[in-house]
Every structure is written in C-alpha cells, then in structure tokens.
Amino acid sequence: LAATKTMTSKSPVPRRTSSAMSSYNTTTFDSAHEERLSSLLASSNFSIADYLNLALSSSSDTNNNSANNNQDDDLLEQKMASLALQLQMSTQSCHDEIGRIGAELSAIVPRCAADVTRVKSGLEGMELDVRGLLEGMDDQYHHQQQGIGGKEGGNIHGPDVSGGGGGSAPKDDDTIITSIDNNNTNNPLSTLHSLLNLKNHLTTTRSILAAASSWDETINSIPKLLSSGSNNNSGQPNLIEAVAALSKLEQGARALQGMPEGQAERTAAISKLRTQLEVLLKPQLLHALKKMETRLGPLQQCVGMYGTLGKMDVMREEYVRMRPGEVISLWFSFGGHAATVGKNSVVVEDDEEKVMDDEDDLDNDDKTDEEEEAEDFDFSEETTDATTSSSTTNKSSSTQINAKQFIEFLPTFYESVLELLSKERAQSKQVFGPELAPSIVGRVLLECFKPIISSFKSRLGNVCPVPGSGISSSSSGNDGFGGTEGIAAAYESTIQFLSLAYDQMEPWEGQGCNNQENDHDSASNNDDVMETIRTAFRMIASPFVPYQRALAEAERDPLGKAASMVAKDVRSVVGLQDAADRLGDLAPFMFPLADSAISRFELLTSGYNASATLSLVDNLIATHASELAIAMGSLSGHVSNSKGNEFDEQHANCALEILRIAGSFKRSLKSFDNSVKDRLRSLSDMMLDDTLEQSGGGLPDAIEPAQLRSFLAKEACNLSPDYIDDGTGVKLPASVVELRRLAGTTSNSADGTTLFPKSADSVSRLARSCQSFVFEVCYAIPEQNLRGISALPVWKQDGVGSGDEDSYGILPQSFITHVGEHILALVQALEPFASDKEALGLANEVMTGVIEVAVQPWKEFVAAAGVSLTGDEKSQLKSLMRGKEVSQFFGDDGDTDMDNQIEEEDDEEEDPDNKASTAFCNQWLDVVGLAVAGRLLERTMRIPRLGRKGAEHLAADLNYIRNVFTALGVAGHPHPLLGYMAKLVTMDEESLQFKIHSRQGEKTPSDALEVIKRAEIRIAYVRGISV
C-alpha cells in the first residue's frame, strides 16, 4: 500500500475510455515496454515505486493523449492483479533455478572434498620426498666441497666455487645455497617448499571453511533438539544430539578464533547453549542416579554427555553423593537411639536426609554436624526410661556395656563400607571407565565418612575421655572394651579396614599406556588417586589424633588404677604360709599391663613420642617393684618377731621361693626391656617408609597395616620433622635417631643401658629385700644364740686344776653347738631348692652382691674393736670379711687353713647342674658363715673380763666353730681371725706382750692391721695383761 501511494503521488494513473480499456491485453506488453522493465530490475537504482509506475503505465504516449481521462477503477485493479500474477511466476522460476544450482553444488562439494584429501595425501608424500631430496643434496654438496678442497690443496684464497674468478674469500654453506636459490628460479627445493606451505594453508582453510559452512546449520538445529517431542516423539529433548551439536560448535569456534568478526557472538551463543544444556541435564542425571540400581544405561549416557561438556566434576559429585546413604544410616542407627528417645528419632532422620541432600560443602554443614553430635548415641546415658534414676555404679556398668557394643559394632560397620566399595569398584568401571573408577571409589569412601566424623569423635570420647578434657576414665580395663584398650581395638579395626579399602581403589592390572604422552597422563591420574586416598585415610583416622598425640596422658589414669589395685593386694600379704603363692601370682602382674601399653604405643603412635610412654611404663613397673620390696621387708620383720629355738625348714623354703620370685621378676624385666628395644628398632625402620607419600609413578600393589600405622602416626604426631645427624654423618628425622638411640643401635648409645632405669633400681632394691629375707631366715638361730654370750659368767672363771682334768673337761658350750648344728642342718634345707634347675636359675638372677647382707656383724665388730675405717667403708669391710688381707699380718701365729682350702680335683668332671647347685648352697653357707664369724668376733670384743678358765672355754668354742666350717668345705672358711683369736686368748702373757709391742713398729697403713692391733690390745686388757 505504501508503494502504491508513492506511485500515485508521483505519476497519477491516466484515465482512459471504456473502449480503450477493453482492448487492453493484461497478459501481454509490447517488447519495448518489457525491455524497460528488465533494465529497471538490473539497475542499481531500482525501487519498487518506479517499477510499479512503469508497469502500470500505457505502452505508448499516443494512446495516453487520445484516451479518455475517466478510467474505470475495476479495470485498474484487474491490471494490478495481472501484474501480481506475472511477478509470482517470475519468483517461482527464480526459486527453481536456485534449487538446481544448489543441487549441483551439493554434488560438486563432496568431489571437491575428495580431491582435497587426495591432494593432502599427495602433499604428504611430496613432503617425504622433499626431505629425502634435501638430505641427498646435502650429502652431494659436502662431497663436492671435499673434492674442490682436495684439488685446491687447501688454498682458502683460491677461485670461488660458484664460478667467480680472482681471489675472493670462499663462501660458507649457507651463502652457497642462498646464491643457488637466487640465481636458479627453477630450483626444485623452492618449489617443494612452496607446496608444503600450500598444504598447510589448505588444511587450515579447510577447517575454517568447514566450521563456517556448518555453523548456522548446527546452531539452528540445537533449539529443535532441545524442544519437546524431538526425541523420537517421546516428548523429551534429544539431549545426546544436542550435546554433540554443542561440541561441534565449540570445535568450530576454536577453528574460527582468528576470524576478524563474530568472535563475541559465537562465544555468547555457546555460553547460552551450555547453560541451557546443563539445566536440562540435571533432572535427567538425578533420574538416572535413582534408577542406577536396576539400569546403568541412562547413567552411562549422562557420563558421556557430561564428559563432552567438560563437566565431569559435576557429574562425579552428584554420583558420589548418592552412594553412601545406606552406610550412613547404619552408623546413626547404632544403639537403638531412635527407638529409645522417641521424638529425637525424627530429628536424626531429618539430619541424615539433610546430609544426603547437602554434603558437597563440609563448611556449610557445621550446624548439622553439631546437631548430629548432640543427638548421637551417648554411652554415658542409660538405655532405659529417661525418668528412671540410677546410681553411679549402675551408670558406669551401662557405659561399659555400651562401649563393648560400639567396639563390636565398628567392624560390622566397616564390613558394610567394604561391601559398598566392592560394588562401587565394579559399577564405576562400567559407568566411568577403568581410568576414573579408582578415583570415584576413593571419593565414595570420603563421602561415607564426612557426615559421621563428628559422631565418631563423640563415640570414641565416651569409650575413653580425650586427654586434657578433664574427664577421668571410669571404664578403663574392663574386659578390654574401655579406656585406651577400647581406643586401641577401634584403631586396629580401622587400620585393617583402610588396608582392605585400598585394595578397592588400586588400578586394574594391565591398565597402562603405550606412549609417553599417555604415560604422563596416567602418572598424573595416579597422583590424583593417591592424593584422594591419603585425604580419605587422614579424615577417617582423625578421631584418633588426640589419643595419638597424648597417649601417655590417656594411659596414666587407667594404668594407675590397675597398679593401685595390685598394690593393695600386695600389701595384704602378711603371713608366711601363703606368701610365696600370693606374691608369685602378684609379682608378674604388671608385665602384661606394661606389654599392652607398649603394644598400644606401637599401634597408635608407631614410635613417635616414645620417651613419654617409656617413662610412664618405667614408673608403673618401678612402683610395683617397690611395693613388692616393702612386702618382703614386712615378711622379714615377721620372721624376726617369730624366732624360736628350732630351725623351721618350711620358713627356709618359703624364703627361697620368694628369692625365686624376685629372680623371675628381674628376668621378666630384662626380657621385656629387650623386647621393647627390638620393637623400637622395627619402628625406626618403618618410620623411613614413604610408600604412601610417593608421587609421579604407579600406585603400590598393596598397603600393609604397618605402613598405614606409620603414615597416620607421622601425620598426627610429626607434622614438621627435624633432621639431625645420627652420629655417622647421615641426616635422619629426629624421631628415628631417638628411637635408634633408645634401642642401642647408634654410635651415641651407651652399652648395656636400659629403657627403664627406675624399674632397674627398684628391682635391685627388691633383690636386696629378698636376699635379706632369706638371710634373716637362715641366720635367725645363730643370731639368737650369739647375741647375749658376752655377759656369760663362764668367761670370768679363773679355776685351776690338773691338766688332765682340764683337758677332758673343757667342751664347746651349748650356744656354739646350737650354731654349729644349725649351719650343718642348713645344707639339707638348701639342697632341695638348689636341685630344681629352673628355680635355681631364677634365684641366681638376684644373687649379685649377696655378701652385703652379712656386713652388719662385721661393722659392729670393727666398732667394738674401736677402729674407724677410712676410705670406702663398704669395700674395707668386704676386704676384712674375706680375710685375705688380714692373714698376712699373723706371721707364724696365722691360720694355715686359709691357704690350704679344699681342692676339688673332679671339678672338670662334675655335672654342670650339680656344680651350679653346689655353688648356690655354698654361696648362702658362705654368707651365713661370715655373719656367724663376724658376730662371734664382735661378741668376743665385748667380753668384760676373761679369766684363764674362761679363755680356755672361749678357745674351745672358737675351735669348734672352725671345725664346723672346715667340715662344710666352703671356700674362705673358716675365717683366719677365728683361729688367731683362739690363739690370742690362750697365749702366754709374755708372748702376747711381745706381739703387741712389736706391732707398734709396723708402719704399713692398713685398716685391717689396725683392727688386728686393737683386737690384740682388747684381748690383753680383758685378760688383765699389762701392755
């Protein structure tokens, strides 16, 4: 209409007569008029108004001038309709021509593409030929150069090889080739180089043209694919083809990056389409995840589409989030919490659903975790009605039962997780492929534990209070389910679980790559998988970290309670009747506890923070040994208060059994010390294992529990290790050097050092207590008979009679015969115990230094003689007791028995067991004999007056006991002072005076000599002899 208005305004339609209009033919125009219309169509100044005005005007001006000015409107409309029909026919003809041309192009383009492919193959062959020609020409040129050089004789100033004359300098290879290229325009190398460039340009051009030609068609096809009803009339979008089309567009966009126009539009279009596809893919993915238990096909399609879009991370997160629902529900269903607390069960279920729906960001789940922890099963609560009140004892019992239930539940829960991982390993391989499957399994493992870590910590805290929390453990040591024993059991189950879980995350055998690039990708994927595994292991073991870092503190309370219980039982032993049996049961009680503590230390810390645990165990054993020593002392007191005139062999057997118990304790400590050192050596070697820390290579075939324990302990206790010199110039972690030093394997370790010095000291005190106890039993009768002999009136007798009467009348007195008989009977009391090889071996463990129990009588003898020893009093007394030093000062009056001890000619042929038994008996006879000799000498020094008759009685007593010792055949007995004292008391007055005066000239400084001098003076004094 606008065009018509323009036409009428510029050129009014002429009015013609009816006769003229009737003769007008609407279907034809004269040739001149048609040519004018055709030229107007081809003109650059074409306009619709001009065309319509020309088409509707008459064919000749004469007709216009003679026509009637009144034109019929109907005829004009008829003429316009005729023109419209003519234009429609022309348009259809143009469309047919365009279709024909398009068909021809469709047939030509594939042939062109085939031609281009053939040209490409030809160019590649030509490229190979060019390289061969270039290599051949280089070889030929070098041969020519060598030939020219030989003819010229090496004259570098000869004629130019390029044909120039004169004395110009020779050109190098590059200059010669350049001159050939410039002078010879038909050089085949130049032609081949041009063809190679042409090939590259054609390849690039082909990709650009292909992208440009398919861009519009591809981008226009995506909306149809995304519309409903495009997927085989199923009413669903065809997302698979849409994703493929988008991928094609992205490839085209990359090919068209260098084009000057349309880059922003292409990027915006692709971004918009990608957003639409991701929105449409999400419901399909969720549907496929819900149906994956029965159908994997839709899920595999989603994996392919998300992989094409480069959004595999999104797909993986959604997939992983759906997997651990059942095991998480199993965890929170433990303990019947939902059934007992009623309303709170709904809260727990809501929390679990929230965890399932929103787990991808742990930082946003703090509130949920706190609610789960608050609502989790509390071991300290009763499982009965909340309104029922109970005593503290009943509540503690319920805590122990629930702790036991949890420790037993944990392996069951781990088995469920392993079953899920096993299924996931097979399913992930089908859905994601073998390369991504290990990573998927690792992420599923992480997802299983993310929601329950806080609950895990809470439940462990109820099994054993966290060190430093101020809560004391009330369930420690109850059937191995409370305290650190419960923590160790849970941790051991966790380590076993992690070791088995790794088997589900390792790559399949033979999953390798054949080229370097793929090898690099495989190594990178292995590093990602290993990092996922490490992250999962750290998180799963994180509830145990507080116990690993402060294990000694966690052990202190339960071990202290156990030690107190044992100490109470030890203190209750007061009688000799059952002392051996009860102490035999109680003495080794601490070693299983100590060994368990070391085992927990080995399990939880793998050697880190060793000093604290070793110190705790040392105090534990030392305290127990001290309690045993106190008990032995009380038994000694009981023996002293129940002295009788008759020797009780049962008491001796009891005392020897106590000695065996002490020896067994010492041997157990030594064995335990060596065992711990062996463990420390093994742990120090395991600390250097880096299987779980390696990267850039393949994954290990398996991970042993010891490797896992070492890795997790290092993560918990040794985050920033210091490296120090181990004494050999090698830098090692400080923890490794410390363990090796404790184990005695470094150059800085002292030989024979013990890990438990306090315990060793306490065992030494225990050994001395046991030695004293045995000595008290064996020496009680001699001590009782000798204690009061100094005041006997017989010593003052000066009676004079015939020599025969005196000869037959002076016999050993009753007190000394009782002592002698007791010593002889002591042999029979010792032999049964000494014949037991095992008991003898244990008793010998604590026989070192047994001579010290007999020192006291000799110390009193020296004091009675009025001598103050100089230097080391103990060593001086021992030297005096052995008698070797004093015998040299006796001269002709000395006792020759000391130098003529019984020589056992058959020692070499004697049975080793019999020899050991004899040595043990002789050792105790020696100790008792020394004590008897010392006490007898001390009592002699305290006799106030010694008459002639009394002196003879004393000499008879001394000679009697000397004969007893001689009969025993114990080395070192009788003591030389006994014989010398017997001679002094019967020596004539002049001889004694002479001996005393002669001693004054001896200048040898010796405490033994001083004792002899004072003894001689004392004997002279009590005999009334002036010196």
Side-chain angles (χ1 to χ4, degrees):
L1 293 177
T4 306
K5 291 178 181 180
T6 305
M7 176 191 68
T8 54
S9 63
K10 291 184 179 180
S11 178
V13 178
R15 295 188 177 272
R16 299 176 176 84
T17 61
S18 58
S19 59
M21 290 299 296
S22 63
S23 62
Y24 184 81
N25 188 356
T26 60
T27 60
T28 60
F29 294 93
D30 56 18
S31 58
H33 193 69
E34 187 174 356
E35 290 178 0
R36 291 176 61 192
L37 288 176
S38 298
S39 62
L40 181 59
L41 285 173
S43 174
S44 60
N45 296 324
F46 170 80
S47 68
I48 297 176
D50 292 341
Y51 182 83
L52 291 178
N53 287 332
L54 180 60
L56 294 176
S57 64
S58 61
S59 59
S60 63
D61 294 337
T62 57
N63 294 333
N64 290 334
N65 293 332
S66 62
N68 192 345
N69 293 329
N70 295 322
Q71 182 180 8
D72 192 299
D73 292 337
D74 294 336
L75 293 176
L76 181 60
E77 291 177 1
Q78 184 179 7
K79 187 176 182 180
M80 293 177 64
S82 177
L83 178 61
L85 180 61
Q86 182 70 22
L87 290 175
Q88 185 177 359
M89 294 175 62
S90 299
T91 301
Q92 183 63 41
S93 177
C94 291
H95 279 248
D96 293 342
E97 184 67 19
I98 291 173
R100 183 184 62 79
I101 296 173
E104 292 178 355
L105 289 175
S106 298
I108 293 173
V109 167
R111 292 196 298 269
C112 293
D115 293 339
V116 170
T117 302
R118 287 192 293 272
V119 171
K120 177 182 177 182
S121 300
L123 291 176
E124 291 176 352
M126 293 173 65
E127 181 181 2
L128 296 176
D129 294 339
V130 168
R131 291 179 179 174
L133 288 173
L134 288 174
E135 292 176 358
M137 292 182 65
D138 288 341
D139 294 339
Q140 183 178 3
Y141 176 73
H142 287 302
H143 287 304
Q144 291 177 355
Q145 286 291 99
Q146 292 175 1
I148 294 173
K151 293 180 180 179
E152 296 295 333
N155 183 7
I156 63 173
H157 299 291
D160 192 350
V161 295
S162 61
S168 60
K171 301 177 182 178
D172 58 12
D173 295 348
D174 294 337
T175 305
I176 295 172
I177 294 174
T178 303
S179 64
I180 294 175
D181 291 340
N182 293 333
N183 296 330
N184 188 3
T185 56
N186 295 324
N187 190 352
L189 293 179
S190 177
T191 302
L192 292 175
H193 186 270
S194 299
L195 290 175
L196 180 60
N197 290 336
L198 177 61
K199 173 213 170 183
N200 295 333
H201 292 320
L202 286 175
T203 302
T204 304
T205 303
R206 178 187 177 185
S207 63
I208 294 174
L209 291 176
S213 63
S214 63
W215 177 270
D216 292 336
E217 180 182 358
T218 304
I219 200 170
N220 291 331
S221 66
I222 293 180
K224 297 179 181 179
L225 296 173
L226 297 180
S227 63
S228 299
S230 62
N231 190 7
N232 297 327
N233 298 324
S234 63
Q236 297 294 331
N238 192 343
L239 295 179
I240 297 177
E241 294 186 8
V243 170
L246 179 60
S247 177
K248 184 177 180 181
L249 286 179
E250 291 178 338
Q251 293 176 2
R254 288 192 293 270
L256 295 173
Q257 280 183 350
M259 297 296 101
E261 298 178 357
Q263 180 67 31
E265 291 80 359
R266 289 190 293 271
T267 303
I270 291 175
S271 177
K272 180 179 179 181
L273 291 174
R274 176 179 284 274
T275 302
Q276 293 177 355
L277 282 173
E278 290 177 3
V279 172
L280 293 174
L281 276 175
K282 188 66 175 289
Q284 184 168 341
L285 172 60
L286 295 177
H287 177 74
L289 290 173
K290 292 179 181 179
K291 301 296 183 181
M292 63 180 170
E293 296 296 335
T294 56
R295 296 178 59 197
L296 291 179
L299 188 59
Q300 291 172 333
Q301 291 178 354
C302 290
V303 171
M305 289 186 287
Y306 273 96
T308 303
L309 292 175
K311 291 291 184 179
M312 187 57 70
D313 291 341
V314 177
M315 166 73 193
R316 185 166 49 196
E317 290 176 4
E318 292 292 340
Y319 175 83
V320 168
R321 184 157 39 196
M322 293 290 292
R323 296 300 289 158
E326 293 183 1
V327 295
I328 294 176
S329 299
L330 175 62
W331 175 270
F332 287 107
S333 67
F334 164 70
H337 183 59
T340 56
V341 297
K343 183 177 179 181
N344 288 342
S345 63
V346 179
V347 178
V348 173
E349 292 175 358
D350 292 341
D351 288 341
E352 291 178 5
E353 183 178 356
K354 182 176 181 181
V355 171
M356 291 297 296
D357 292 338
D358 189 19
E359 293 176 349
D360 52 323
D361 190 358
L362 284 177
D363 294 335
N364 295 330
D365 291 340
D366 293 340
K367 183 177 179 180
T368 301
D369 291 340
E370 292 174 1
E371 292 173 355
E372 288 172 358
E373 182 176 359
E375 295 158 2
D376 193 17
F377 186 72
D378 189 359
F379 295 122
S380 62
E381 296 179 357
E382 295 291 340
T383 56
T384 58
D385 192 345
T387 60
T388 304
S389 62
S390 61
S391 64
T392 305
T393 304
N394 293 335
K395 189 172 182 179
S396 175
S397 176
S398 176
T399 300
Q400 298 167 14
I401 294 174
N402 292 329
K404 177 180 179 180
Q405 292 174 350
F406 175 67
I407 299 303
E408 293 176 347
F409 161 77
L410 196 58
T412 304
F413 172 74
Y414 285 150
E415 288 177 2
S416 299
V417 178
L418 287 174
E419 183 178 358
L420 171 64
L421 295 181
S422 178
K423 294 179 180 178
E424 185 56 43
R425 178 174 172 84
Q427 181 168 303
S428 297
K429 184 179 181 181
Q430 294 181 6
V431 176
F432 295 95
E435 293 185 358
L436 290 179
S439 176
I440 296 296
V441 177
R443 292 176 182 271
V444 170
L445 177 61
L446 271 170
E447 200 65 27
C448 287
F449 284 87
K450 279 182 182 179
I452 69 173
I453 286 298
S454 179
S455 172
F456 201 169
K457 293 178 181 178
S458 176
R459 293 180 180 185
L460 287 181
N462 286 297
V463 173
C464 177
V466 176
S469 62
I471 304 175
S472 62
S473 174
S474 60
S475 59
S476 168
N478 294 287
D479 299 330
F481 292 105
T484 52
E485 293 181 353
I487 297 298
Y491 189 72
E492 186 173 11
S493 298
T494 303
I495 292 296
Q496 293 292 339
F497 161 71
L498 294 179
S499 179
L500 296 174
Y502 174 81
D503 296 338
Q504 305 299 330
M505 292 181 282
E506 62 177 343
W508 278 267
E509 185 177 358
Q511 184 190 333
C513 300
N514 296 325
N515 56 63
Q516 184 175 359
E517 181 179 357
N518 288 337
D519 285 342
H520 176 74
D521 295 339
S522 177
S524 177
N525 182 60
N526 288 340
D527 290 344
D528 294 340
V529 173
M530 181 54 74
E531 183 58 34
T532 301
I533 293 173
R534 286 194 290 260
T535 302
F537 286 177
R538 292 189 193 102
M539 185 186 69
I540 295 171
S542 61
F544 297 94
V545 169
Y547 304 96
Q548 291 174 295
R549 292 179 177 173
L551 179 61
E553 187 65 26
E555 294 274 16
R556 194 179 307 279
D557 185 48
L559 288 180
K561 290 180 178 179
S564 299
M565 295 173 59
V566 178
K568 184 177 180 181
D569 291 339
V570 171
R571 292 166 190 162
S572 64
V573 179
V574 293
L576 290 176
Q577 300 300 326
D578 60 343
D581 293 336
R582 293 190 62 188
L583 290 178
D585 295 336
L586 293 173
F589 189 84
M590 280 301 158
F591 288 104
L593 290 180
D595 186 72
S596 298
I598 294 298
S599 296
R600 291 191 290 272
F601 160 75
E602 184 179 10
L603 174 67
L604 288 165
T605 69
S606 291
Y608 293 99
N609 303 329
S611 298
T613 300
L614 293 178
S615 176
L616 177 66
V617 173
D618 189 15
N619 290 331
L620 178 73
I621 299 176
T623 301
H624 183 57
S626 298
E627 291 291 341
L628 291 174
I630 294 173
M632 304 305 177
S634 65
L635 292 177
S636 297
H638 181 78
V639 171
S640 300
N641 295 330
S642 61
K643 291 178 180 178
N645 293 328
E646 299 295 332
F647 175 63
D648 192 347
E649 292 187 5
Q650 184 177 359
H651 287 179
N653 292 332
C654 176
L656 291 173
E657 187 64 21
I658 295 297
L659 187 68
R660 182 195 66 80
I661 292 172
S664 176
F665 191 92
K666 183 176 182 180
R667 179 177 291 182
S668 297
L669 177 62
K670 187 184 301 182
S671 176
F672 179 65
D673 186 275
N674 293 331
S675 173
V676 174
K677 286 182 178 180
D678 292 338
R679 293 186 184 185
L680 295 182
R681 294 187 192 100
S682 178
L683 291 174
S684 67
D685 295 336
M686 188 55 64
M687 282 182 178
L688 300 176
D689 183 85
D690 60 350
T691 302
L692 278 163
E693 301 176 21
Q694 294 179 356
S695 60
L699 299 179
D701 295 334
I703 296 179
E704 298 297 329
Q707 295 173 323
L708 269 172
R709 293 196 300 266
S710 180
F711 168 74
L712 294 175
K714 182 178 181 180
E715 292 290 325
C717 307
N718 197 35
L719 298 179
S720 56
D722 296 329
Y723 285 80
I724 60 176
D725 192 345
D726 67 344
T728 62
V730 179
K731 293 288 186 179
L732 293 175
S735 300
V736 176
V737 177
E738 176 65 13
L739 280 189
R740 293 183 175 179
R741 182 190 66 80
L742 292 172
T745 58
T746 64
S747 58
N748 297 329
S749 304
D751 294 336
T753 56
T754 177
L755 294 174
F756 310 104
K758 294 181 181 179
S759 299
D761 293 341
S762 296
V763 169
S764 298
R765 291 193 295 272
L766 173 63
R768 287 193 293 272
S769 296
C770 293
Q771 291 171 358
S772 298
F773 179 49
V774 176
F775 175 73
E776 290 288 342
V777 171
C778 296
Y779 179 64
I781 298 299
E783 176 68 16
Q784 183 179 4
N785 283 276
L786 295 177
R787 175 60 66 178
I789 66 171
S790 297
L792 291 177
V794 68
W795 310 127
K796 299 179 181 179
Q797 293 180 4
D798 288 326
V800 180
S802 64
D804 294 339
E805 180 183 356
D806 292 340
S807 173
Y808 290 101
I810 299 177
L811 297 174
Q813 300 181 72
S814 61
F815 74 88
I816 200 68
T817 57
H818 286 161
V819 172
E821 291 172 356
H822 171 77
I823 294 175
L824 294 175
L826 192 60
V827 178
Q828 298 177 356
L830 294 173
E831 284 181 347
F833 178 84
S835 62
D836 187 343
K837 181 180 179 181
E838 181 180 358
L840 181 61
L842 293 175
N844 283 330
E845 293 282 346
V846 290
M847 288 298 290
T848 303
V850 69
I851 192 177
E852 294 182 5
V853 299
V855 167
Q856 186 62 31
W858 287 88
K859 186 176 182 180
E860 295 178 8
F861 162 62
V862 172
V867 178
S868 296
L869 299 177
T870 59
D872 186 2
E873 182 181 24
K874 183 180 292 187
S875 62
Q876 294 287 350
L877 286 173
K878 288 182 180 180
S879 177
L880 183 63
M881 292 167 67
R882 286 306 174 195
K884 291 183 179 181
E885 184 178 357
V886 298
S887 61
Q888 62 180 327
F889 300 110
F890 294 155
D892 297 336
D893 298 322
D895 193 346
T896 58
D897 291 341
M898 191 69 186
D899 299 326
N900 299 317
Q901 299 295 335
I902 297 175
E903 296 181 2
E904 300 178 3
E905 299 178 356
D906 299 333
D907 279 352
E908 296 181 358
E909 299 179 0
E910 187 177 1
D911 182 71
D913 294 339
N914 293 335
K915 186 176 181 180
S917 175
T918 302
F920 177 79
C921 294
N922 288 344
Q923 200 169 6
W924 278 112
L925 292 174
D926 175 52
V927 171
V928 174
L930 287 174
V932 169
R935 180 60 65 197
L936 189 57
L937 292 173
E938 182 264 338
R939 292 289 90 189
T940 300
M941 291 293 99
R942 297 190 184 277
I943 295 176
R945 183 175 177 276
L946 189 63
R948 187 185 69 81
K949 192 74 172 180
E952 292 177 353
H953 277 289
L954 179 58
D957 295 338
L958 291 174
N959 288 327
Y960 169 79
I961 201 66
R962 289 177 61 246
N963 292 333
V964 171
F965 285 136
T966 302
L968 288 176
V970 179
H973 292 275
H975 196 280
L977 275 177
L978 293 176
Y980 186 65
M981 196 66 65
K983 291 182 178 181
L984 287 180
V985 297
T986 58
M987 188 178 293
D988 60 86
E989 180 176 351
E990 293 180 357
S991 298
L992 181 58
Q993 288 177 338
F994 175 78
K995 184 175 288 294
I996 293 174
H997 287 293
S998 64
R999 296 287 188 192
Q1000 305 302 321
E1002 297 183 8
K1003 303 297 183 180
T1004 303
S1006 172
D1007 289 335
L1009 178 60
E1010 188 66 23
V1011 170
I1012 294 173
K1013 288 181 180 180
R1014 295 300 180 94
E1016 292 171 347
I1017 295 175
R1018 177 65 184 176
I1019 293 298
Y1021 175 75
V1022 298
R1023 287 179 63 186
I1025 299 174
S1026 175
V1027 294

